[in-house]
Amino acid sequence: MQNKVKKVVVAGGGTAGWMAAALLSKTMGRTVEIVLVESDEIPTVGVGEATIPPLMTFHNILGIDEREFMAEVNGTFKLGISFQNWRQNEHEYLHSFGYAGKDCWACSFIHFWLAGKKQGINHPYGDYCAEILAAREGKFAVLPKGGMNYAYHMDAGKYAAYLRRLSEGWGATRQEGKITNVNLNPETGDIESLNLASGELVAGDFFIDCTGFRALLIEGALNTGFEDWSHWLPCDRAMAVQTESLGEPIPYTRSIAHDAGWQWRIPLQTRVGNGLVYSSKYLDDDAAEQLLRNNINGATLNDIKPIRFRTGTRRKHWNKNCLALGLASGFLEPLESTSIHMIQRSLIRFMQLFPSFGVQQSDIDEFNIQNKLEVERTRDFIILHYKVTEREDSDFWRYCKHMEIPAALEQKISLFRDSGRVFKIENELFGEESWMQVMMGQGIEPKSYHPIADVMSDNELEDFLASLRKSMRTNVDKLPSHQKFLDFYCKTKS
Ligand code: FAD
């Protein structure tokens, strides 16, 4: 059969564009021509520096060497996110990438932990999780056989440049130019070509819209529609700025809640990324800028960059012969660093359904069904952080605490509150452990636990829990400091 999709045009060269170009050129570069169009006149969004562990899978497909990548992107390791002031002011918890204790076939470790608590064994849940202990002590090492679950903090601009170099090495070509028009076939409505300001025309068989919030193809040309989720995720603005590092980088992201939003701190090897995410309904821009300035450490390295966004999703991420990736496909918000992951998931799903012999509606529908489910479950996980709070000290938090939430999330919270149970559904990004760590961190105490945890005698349970704590402690004691490991493993060139 003749390959009908012979040329894929990627519009936009931010993180999304270069991730697409890299994966397509690495895996299909011999049979499909890949052209990426981007404009030096239009900057990328310039944020997106915290990731989650599955990025490693993407890098494995590309054959990326972790040490080279980390040195190239000024990278540090991330064991999770510390949430400060989310449950209430002065309260803090860690959502780590680790798994606490040992699960059994019928229930997860938390049930044994709850049974221990009933007996008066009051060690924090984090004492059973190596990633939480290591994060708190500023330690890190890449261990064999996935002994430590981690992700990366990186410089977004350097990451795109790194992927560009790889993509061009694998045969993708970059075309400089500002897209001024998207031409549709008058009969099918498919995209045929892009006009550039220079007068050039870039034609293709399939188009990937990575033009960021502008969404020039998927929305500008195809009018796909947008589902607004701002009633659940009310933050709609951000301000971002980089600062000098004042000390050793910590191996986790910090998320610090304020009265009308929250602030991130992402430590890189030689600088810190900072930003405030807020709701313009509850905080004006001048006050937001002042709040950010008052809450950063170290001299600023650039001007504060304001960013406006709308939380929600494109009604279809694949429409006709166009796939939307990254910010062009929608945006939840950066709280759990899920955006880059969504790019990766969409790309892999697209590759699984690659329309070699022409775009078929059944492929498009399958893609959109799977994608929608995953995006909605991720959205619910983020809403959880806002909804389950004890804070009522500002209009913003009162709104979040009392807002109505999606039914699936309501069910997940009720089940955990009643019995400590959580089940991961197919295609869901966050697993049981993540849900549990955040639900407990935000203040939900399960009313009961699985009866299997009572099968052990009190002494047996005490010994079991003590042996787990001991083994975590021994493992973490052996780790070097995060800084020491960075210096040895992947010291940056910048
Ligand atoms: P952009 O970076 O905006 O790139 C758009 C590209 O399109 C640019 O190359 C531009 O030149 C090009 N373009 C646009 N118009 C034209 C035109 N007319 N002609 C030619 N080219 C054009 N994600 C995470 O995973 N982790 C995080 O910690 C995180 N933090 C975030 C914080 C904030 C405040 C925001 C807003 C987002 C965050 N994200 C995060 C999301 C992340 O930044 C994006 O998913 C990622 O950077 C991908 O962006 P993009 O490539 O879609 O868009």
Side-chain angles (χ1 to χ4, degrees):
M1 282 160 87
Q2 192 70 27
N3 194 355
K4 284 195 183 158
V5 174
K6 293 195 181 107
K7 181 175 174 187
V8 175
V9 177
V10 180
T15 303
W18 285 112
M19 282 177 79
L23 189 67
L24 286 164
S25 58
K26 169 78 180 176
T27 56
M28 306 193 78
R30 286 193 190 168
T31 51
V32 179
E33 185 187 350
I34 316 296
V35 176
L36 183 144
V37 182
E38 71 173 319
S39 165
D40 283 338
E41 271 177 52
I42 304 173
T44 61
V45 70
V47 283
E49 309 207 310
T51 65
I52 55 175
L55 188 62
M56 237 171 268
T57 312
F58 185 71
H59 287 182
N60 287 341
I61 299 171
L62 298 181
I64 284 179
D65 175 82
E66 187 176 69
R67 299 177 78 157
E68 178 195 271
F69 151 75
M70 288 291 279
E72 196 84 28
V73 301
N74 199 359
T76 61
F77 292 96
K78 171 180 171 188
L79 290 165
I81 305 175
S82 148
F83 288 95
Q84 202 178 317
N85 304 342
W86 277 83
R87 175 175 171 181
Q88 49 183 247
N89 276 313
E90 310 302 324
H91 178 271
E92 188 263 358
Y93 71 94
L94 250 154
H95 167 209
S96 79
F97 299 132
Y99 298 85
K102 262 192 192 144
D103 296 344
C104 87
W105 64 270
C107 64
S108 51
F109 169 72
I110 191 181
H111 297 266
F112 297 91
W113 180 76
L114 288 167
K117 222 174 152 202
K118 198 173 135 209
Q119 255 191 57
I121 305 169
N122 280 320
H123 288 268
Y125 190 72
D127 284 4
Y128 301 89
C129 177
E131 286 80 354
I132 294 182
L133 287 174
R136 297 225 175 277
E137 293 167 29
K139 292 178 161 190
F140 183 81
V142 174
L143 299 179
K145 294 188 191 148
M148 186 77 93
N149 294 290
Y150 63 88
Y152 313 113
H153 298 127
M154 61 192 186
D155 179 313
K158 287 185 166 44
Y159 186 52
Y162 178 64
L163 291 178
R164 174 179 169 185
R165 206 180 73 219
L166 294 179
S167 306
E168 290 180 332
W170 293 323
T173 51
R174 175 188 184 274
Q175 171 128 21
E176 166 60 34
K178 186 171 171 187
I179 301 161
T180 50
N181 196 38
V182 179
N183 303 305
L184 303 183
N185 180 299
E187 277 167 29
T188 62
D190 283 351
I191 300 176
E192 284 188 335
S193 59
L194 309 176
N195 284 115
L196 304 188
S198 60
E200 283 170 281
L201 194 72
V202 183
D205 304 309
F206 198 91
F207 292 79
I208 305 191
D209 187 348
C210 301
T211 58
F213 288 128
R214 288 175 181 81
L216 292 179
L217 285 66
I218 195 81
E219 199 58 61
L222 296 179
N223 297 309
T224 303
F226 189 82
E227 202 175 318
D228 189 303
W229 288 336
S230 56
H231 49 297
W232 288 319
L233 297 169
C235 292
D236 59 354
R237 293 198 187 171
M239 296 212 178
V241 69
Q242 298 163 8
T243 53
E244 274 177 354
S245 299
L246 290 185
E248 296 187 356
I250 50 173
Y252 55 91
T253 306
R254 285 183 70 190
S255 164
I256 305 156
H258 290 292
D259 288 351
W262 62 278
Q263 177 191 349
W264 79 77
R265 282 198 195 154
I266 300 177
L268 302 188
Q269 289 190 44
T270 61
R271 67 158 172 85
V272 178
N274 306 270
L276 182 74
V277 177
Y278 61 101
S279 166
S280 59
K281 189 170 168 199
Y282 299 96
L283 189 69
D284 67 46
D285 295 342
D286 291 343
E289 182 172 339
Q290 200 50 51
L291 182 66
L292 180 59
R293 285 195 190 281
N294 293 345
N295 285 283
I296 47 178
N297 300 322
T300 54
L301 300 175
N302 58 354
D303 292 337
I304 288 187
K305 181 177 180 175
I307 301 166
R308 291 181 176 206
F309 58 86
R310 186 171 160 215
T311 51
T313 188
R314 210 60 64 198
R315 288 198 188 279
K316 295 175 198 162
H317 288 200
W318 182 349
N319 190 7
K320 295 192 175 283
N321 63 337
C322 175
L323 173 74
L325 285 184
L327 300 172
S329 70
F331 186 49
L332 294 175
E333 71 138 278
L335 188 59
E336 281 282 355
S337 328
T338 45
S339 259
I340 293 172
H341 175 77
M342 291 299 174
I343 298 170
Q344 161 185 348
R345 288 290 298 146
S346 288
L347 266 173
I348 289 175
R349 191 166 285 136
F350 175 66
M351 296 300 280
Q352 288 166 342
L353 291 160
F354 193 82
S356 306
F357 307 113
V359 175
Q360 303 188 88
Q361 195 56 43
S362 55
D363 286 339
I364 297 179
D365 292 344
E366 185 60 32
F367 179 94
N368 287 323
I369 289 167
Q370 291 186 19
N371 225 54
K372 185 170 189 287
L373 199 69
E374 185 164 1
V375 174
E376 287 179 355
R377 293 293 80 80
T378 306
R379 171 203 68 193
D380 288 358
F381 185 64
I382 297 174
I383 298 173
L384 170 74
H385 300 63
Y386 287 97
K387 171 72 184 172
V388 182
T389 179
E390 291 162 15
R391 287 191 69 159
E392 293 211 58
D393 55 311
S394 68
D395 289 343
F396 174 81
W397 286 106
R398 276 190 292 278
Y399 171 78
C400 294
K401 187 172 175 183
H402 297 289
M403 69 184 166
E404 287 197 7
I405 54 172
L409 174 59
E410 192 85 66
Q411 161 61 13
K412 218 148 191 158
I413 294 173
S414 300
L415 185 67
F416 184 72
R417 184 170 275 134
D418 289 343
S419 61
R421 293 180 178 122
V422 181
F423 294 96
K424 180 177 169 165
I425 59 162
E426 206 187 339
N427 264 335
E428 188 170 23
L429 165 58
F430 289 98
E432 291 92 337
E433 188 66 36
S434 285
W435 281 91
M436 285 186 298
Q437 288 189 22
V438 173
M439 287 200 269
M440 284 199 297
Q442 294 285 140
I444 302 181
E445 180 92 6
K447 289 182 200 146
S448 65
Y449 56 81
H450 199 287
I452 214 160
D454 281 336
V455 169
M456 283 190 223
S457 69
D458 287 1
N459 284 345
E460 281 170 338
L461 182 64
E462 198 173 340
D463 289 350
F464 171 63
L465 293 175
S467 73
L468 285 173
R469 287 196 305 274
K470 190 169 168 213
S471 100
M472 293 301 156
R473 188 65 274 154
T474 314
N475 291 342
V476 172
D477 281 347
K478 286 186 206 147
L479 295 173
S481 75
H482 183 216
Q483 180 71 65
K484 216 170 184 175
F485 187 76
L486 290 169
D487 290 345
F488 149 76
Y489 190 74
C490 53
K491 198 169 173 58
T492 190
K493 294 164 200 157
S494 56

